Amino acid sequence: MFPFRLFGWLLLALPVAAVALVNPAPQADEAVRKAEVLEQDVAPDVEVTEPTKPLSEQEAQVVDPEGSDPLEEPLTCLARTIYWEAKGVPGLDMESVANVVMNRLATEEFPNTICEVVKQGSEQSPCQFSWWCDGKPDEVVEDDAYEIAKEVARQALNQELPDHTDGALYFHDRTVHPPWANEFLLTAETEAFIFYRPGIAKAE
């Protein structure tokens, strides 16, 4: 009798599991809520009114699964910035781009949300992050790279990511040298980028 009863319970459980896989919306909604609280915990001008809970890997991956959602919540805005700025160079470059966004979020001179930090300026040049105002589509085209970007974004929001940039608020690609780079202190270099923060630039 017992094996048949156990088999019956398994049959009942299968549709529930299937629904959970087919409809990840509740988990995604909870992940977005957590990300918003984690974001507020970093912003200096925002009072956090509820306990912060870390995002899990699974929660982060169900947010914006196709890389095509509107840029309206912190995890997507951060992950899409990491993806488009450094999708060809995962690892230290991706993490360092995340560092800059989070450093700006934590600085009073910048906006209090990740999406506002990313979108600061306009959708036409000049803007703060080149991918946002280059006039090209913002949807993801490489799923594997975007999964990595979302994991980096999750770690950054959880404040689990070391700051490889020594507090940098600005960066540029190694292939260019914008005039503003001479006005700031160089703090770090990666394979693809050079990072800066306000300060007295070192003499060449």
Side-chain angles (χ1 to χ4, degrees):
M1 182 75 177
F2 179 74
F4 294 105
R5 184 178 296 173
L6 179 61
F7 182 70
W9 279 111
L10 287 172
L11 286 177
L12 286 173
L14 282 174
V16 175
V19 168
L21 289 173
V22 172
N23 183 20
Q27 188 177 30
D29 290 344
E30 175 64 11
V32 167
R33 192 190 66 77
K34 280 187 180 181
E36 288 171 347
V37 176
L38 291 165
E39 169 189 64
Q40 293 167 3
D41 194 43
V42 175
D45 304 328
V46 180
E47 183 179 348
V48 180
T49 57
E50 59 180 292
T52 55
K53 297 178 182 178
L55 279 167
S56 70
E57 292 182 42
Q58 185 179 18
E59 285 175 321
Q61 292 301 332
V62 297
V63 176
D64 187 26
E66 304 299 323
S68 58
D69 288 354
L71 293 160
E72 296 174 347
E73 49 80 22
L75 186 68
T76 297
C77 286
L78 182 54
R80 210 81 69 83
T81 300
I82 296 165
Y83 170 82
W84 279 116
E85 293 287 347
K87 69 184 177 72
V89 280
L92 191 60
D93 295 276
M94 278 190 167
E95 293 182 5
S96 298
V97 169
N99 291 153
V100 169
V101 176
M102 298 304 291
N103 289 343
R104 287 188 175 196
L105 178 64
T107 303
E108 290 183 356
E109 288 74 21
F110 289 91
N112 289 328
T113 72
I114 288 172
C115 289
E116 288 174 347
V117 165
V118 169
K119 297 177 183 180
Q120 192 174 16
S122 68
E123 286 194 68
Q124 288 79 39
S125 186
C127 64
Q128 297 295 312
F129 293 90
S130 58
W131 74 274
W132 172 244
C133 63
D134 61 7
K136 300 176 182 177
D138 299 330
E139 288 77 14
V140 166
V141 294
E142 297 175 20
D143 293 342
D144 291 346
Y146 189 51
E147 286 184 12
I148 296 169
K150 282 204 283 187
E151 173 57 14
V152 172
R154 180 190 76 85
Q155 292 176 23
L157 278 163
N158 285 347
Q159 300 187 52
E160 299 167 351
L161 203 63
D163 186 357
H164 306 292
T165 71
D166 191 21
L169 298 174
Y170 307 93
F171 71 99
H172 65 78
D173 192 280
R174 282 186 171 277
T175 61
V176 301
H177 186 80
W180 57 258
N182 297 323
E183 301 173 12
F184 298 123
L185 179 66
L186 191 156
T187 62
E189 299 184 47
T190 63
E191 181 180 349
F193 305 115
I194 302 177
F195 296 85
Y196 304 83
R197 59 179 164 81
I200 300 173
K202 295 178 182 177
E204 294 293 331

